[in-house]
Amino acid sequence: MKIRYILICMICLLCFTACGKNGKQEKDDTTQSNKDEYIVVGFSQLGAESDWRNANTESIKKSLCRENGFELIIEDGQQKQANQIMAIRTFIQKEVDFIVLAPVTETGWDTVLREAKDAGIPVIVIDRMVDVQDESLFTCWIGSDFVSEGNRVVDWLRDYLDANEIEDSQVHIADIQGTLGASAQIGRTKALDAAVEQYGWDLVAQVSGDFTQTKGKEVMANLLDEHEEINVVYCENDNEARGAILAIEEAGKVAGTNLLEGEILILAFDGVSRVAQDLVQEGKIGCIAECNPNHGPRVLEVIRKLLAEEQPEKLFYVTEGMWLKPDETQ
Ligand code: GZL
């Protein structure tokens, strides 16, 4: 009996080892064959905080798809730089062919980008910029001119005030900023600060809404409690604007374009969601500076250039406009 039992165990062990080995061997073969068959791209996306971010992710997925010859590995950083750095190190270990990085904030990338460069993996930065000592640490950047976006909004406000004969001294503006240290926040805030300096508007407060609807609503509610005089709100993205409108209406006030009748004028950025576009049509948002999330096609073009050993431009700005009511022209 005992010998038979030992024999059965030995046969099972041999089978298991063979499967395990073949299984692992198959796994290695699969990974290897993936690399042989597809261009493997590691994409460190900063989060899923806004409609814009989700549209940006979809654009990359649509361009770097298997039909185009790509194996795309996406890691969601949940708006934390530490998670993104961990993701990049994982991509390096996996020996991906390219890394695409949408950085949550501008600073703190030098070390991990040096590791990617030392591993011979090109890094394509999209959306927000990285502020690094050595610009050879990234191959190129694709994104928006955020100061220009901000200038389009403050220029619209300038025209609105003049058309409605509202004095600069009557403007009491609150700035619900984006994630502090993000290029979009830095650029959009810079444009507003310059306009406040130029026109003498009363800048009542600048508080981060972290580009989310929840935080935007919370910040707006607090500002309404502390500053009755606010009549213009500069929201650094649509989701904050939607939150601010909820807070304004819950406080029994009106988000609209009749500033002299006590309404609160909302200004915003992105224009990605249909909801936000409809709020402009309804007059609850005065204007939205478009921020184009569709970076996928340009990333695809850059990778194809690099594979053909061509050099893409270091900086590539996507095209953008304004979301206005139908009777207004850009
Ligand atoms: C802008 C992008 C910003 C969007 C927000 O390019 O970085 O981050 O304006 C998003 O909606 O959260």
Side-chain angles (χ1 to χ4, degrees):
M1 172 61 179
K2 195 173 177 189
I3 292 176
R4 192 150 69 94
Y5 175 70
I6 290 169
L7 279 174
I8 290 168
C9 286
M10 284 175 68
I11 290 166
C12 288
L13 183 64
L14 279 171
C15 290
F16 177 75
T17 309
C19 290
K21 180 175 173 303
N22 288 342
K24 186 179 180 318
Q25 188 60 32
E26 276 164 18
K27 185 175 179 304
D28 284 351
D29 287 348
T30 307
T31 307
Q32 188 50 46
S33 67
N34 257 359
K35 278 188 70 64
D36 296 344
E37 195 178 347
Y38 296 105
I39 297 160
V40 181
V41 177
F43 176 29
S44 172
Q45 178 56 288
L46 69 91
E49 75 285 357
S50 65
D51 300 316
W52 188 98
R53 185 65 49 201
N54 297 333
N56 183 245
T57 299
E58 286 312 306
S59 176
I60 297 296
K61 284 165 70 174
K62 189 173 171 201
S63 291
L64 304 188
C65 60
R66 287 200 162 201
E67 293 71 27
N68 286 341
F70 291 89
E71 178 76 29
L72 181 64
I73 309 166
I74 303 180
E75 292 292 344
D76 175 351
Q78 297 175 337
Q79 286 191 283
K80 291 182 176 61
Q81 181 174 47
N83 292 341
Q84 291 198 273
I85 289 172
M86 205 162 16
I88 292 171
R89 287 187 168 134
T90 303
F91 297 151
I92 293 170
Q93 280 172 356
K94 288 176 183 273
E95 297 180 344
V96 299
D97 298 305
F98 296 90
I99 289 172
V100 175
L101 168 63
V104 59
T105 49
E106 293 194 344
T107 55
W109 301 100
D110 298 74
T111 301
V112 75
L113 292 184
R114 169 69 59 195
E115 291 166 20
K117 182 175 183 181
D118 291 348
I121 303 174
V123 176
I124 299 164
V125 178
I126 64 170
D127 182 22
R128 304 170 188 178
M129 180 51 91
V130 290
D131 177 9
V132 289
Q133 290 295 316
D134 173 2
E135 291 213 336
S136 73
L137 294 181
F138 66 97
T139 301
C140 63
W141 168 86
I142 299 159
S144 304
D145 181 338
F146 300 114
V147 175
S148 172
E149 290 177 352
N151 288 338
R152 289 201 294 276
V153 169
V154 294
D155 288 349
W156 182 91
L157 178 56
R158 174 72 275 158
D159 293 345
Y160 164 87
L161 296 171
D162 296 344
N164 290 278
E165 297 175 344
I166 297 169
E167 298 299 323
D168 289 328
S169 60
Q170 291 176 285
V171 176
H172 305 284
I173 193 165
D175 177 8
I176 303 183
Q177 297 175 293
T179 303
L180 297 180
S183 310
Q185 176 272 311
I186 294 168
R188 293 168 186 168
T189 295
K190 186 176 178 182
L192 177 64
D193 288 347
V196 164
E197 178 72 23
Q198 180 180 357
Y199 300 122
W201 298 331
D202 172 27
L203 181 56
V204 175
Q206 286 181 297
V207 184
S208 176
D210 217 13
F211 287 131
T212 68
Q213 179 167 323
T214 304
K215 196 76 181 342
K217 180 181 179 185
E218 179 192 315
V219 165
M220 189 72 242
N222 293 338
L223 288 173
L224 289 171
D225 285 345
E226 294 159 16
H227 301 283
E228 275 285 320
E229 73 279 19
I230 290 173
N231 53 17
V232 181
V233 186
Y234 183 91
C235 300
E236 295 189 1
N237 86 330
D238 290 345
N239 294 79
E240 292 176 348
R242 289 163 62 182
I245 291 168
L246 290 173
I248 287 167
E249 292 175 346
E250 283 180 10
K253 294 175 178 280
V254 176
T257 52
N258 299 314
L259 194 138
L260 294 179
E261 289 167 30
E263 295 182 355
I264 298 177
L265 178 64
I266 303 290
L267 310 170
F269 296 82
D270 289 347
V272 167
S273 75
R274 186 56 199 262
V275 171
Q277 295 161 14
D278 289 347
L279 287 169
V280 173
Q281 305 315 315
E282 293 161 24
K284 288 191 176 183
I285 294 180
C287 76
I288 297 176
E290 181 196 6
C291 184
N292 184 346
N294 298 313
H295 298 158
R298 179 63 187 173
V299 171
L300 177 58
E301 188 184 343
V302 163
I303 289 176
R304 285 177 170 161
K305 275 179 180 280
L306 293 169
L307 290 170
E309 295 183 0
E310 296 169 22
Q311 189 55 40
E313 299 108 305
K314 189 74 177 177
L315 304 177
F316 182 87
Y317 290 92
V318 292
T319 52
E320 299 173 334
M322 286 289 277
W323 289 94
L324 304 170
K325 290 181 79 167
D327 55 355
E328 289 190 271
T329 53
Q330 289 217 15

